[in-house]
Amino acid sequence: MTPRTAEARAVERANQAFYDAVENSDLDALESVVLDGPLAESVAVVHPGWPVLRGRREVMRSFALIMANTDYIQFFLTDVEVGVDGDAAVVTCTENILTGGPAEDDGSAGSLVGGLVVATNVFRRTADGWRLWVHHGSPVLAEEDDETEEAEHEE
């Protein structure tokens, strides 16, 4: 195993720790993943449909709000690509997201909704390991159905 491969794996573990923290509504775990220290004010996040939020405090506040208002969320990551260059790393992936509302009165699961978001996560190497510096998620618009595509090709 080359050092680059080892670093890429370490970044992928940090990326997974980020998603695990959000899935589990674990703000303490998220605190340990997000960059702090001298670069804390340069931390940024763009949640789908939101404006850019800057500074570690605002970013953590946004995740706290999301966690407090989300009954269930699960991420299935696909198309994960990791690039490492020195003390910076970029992860691109597709977030296949499953979210749900509150449980029904009879205790059964609430309604579930799926969605796709493409994400870019930038990590910075620190003395404590790789930390999330920037997260940017953009929703994937629904693909056209086959009939629409066929009609366009016939024109």
Side-chain angles (χ1 to χ4, degrees), residues 84-152:
V84 180
D85 185 24
D87 290 336
V90 175
V91 178
T92 57
C93 61
T94 300
E95 302 171 353
N96 300 269
I97 304 172
L98 187 61
T99 58
E104 301 295 332
D105 291 337
D106 65 2
S108 62
S111 61
L112 296 175
V113 177
L116 289 177
V117 171
V118 290
T120 302
N121 298 320
V122 180
F123 290 84
R124 177 85 179 179
R125 186 197 324 260
T126 72
D128 298 320
W130 292 97
R131 297 295 178 256
L132 183 68
W133 196 357
V134 175
H135 168 71
H136 185 161
S138 296
V140 175
L141 301 177
E143 293 182 12
E144 296 177 329
D145 62 42
D146 290 338
E147 290 177 15
T148 304
E149 290 178 13
E150 287 176 16
E152 289 175 356

Side-chain angles (χ1 to χ4, degrees), residues 11-92:
V11 170
E12 194 163 4
R13 284 191 301 273
N15 191 64
Q16 189 61 54
F18 162 64
Y19 287 102
D20 290 347
V22 176
E23 267 188 18
N24 295 315
S25 293
D26 188 340
L27 203 53
D28 291 333
L30 189 62
E31 288 271 356
S32 70
V33 173
V34 176
L35 186 66
D36 59 6
L39 293 173
E41 288 307 307
S42 67
V43 170
V45 66
V46 177
H47 300 295
W50 293 36
V52 64
L53 301 174
R54 291 187 177 87
R56 189 174 197 277
R57 180 177 297 205
E58 280 300 307
V59 167
M60 293 306 301
R61 182 176 174 274
S62 73
F63 279 109
L65 287 169
I66 290 169
M67 291 175 183
N69 291 294
T70 304
D71 291 301
Y72 174 82
I73 191 165
Q74 189 172 10
F75 297 92
F76 300 95
L77 302 181
T78 56
D79 307 315
V80 178
E81 296 288 336
V82 179
V84 180
D85 185 24
D87 290 336
V90 175
V91 178
T92 57

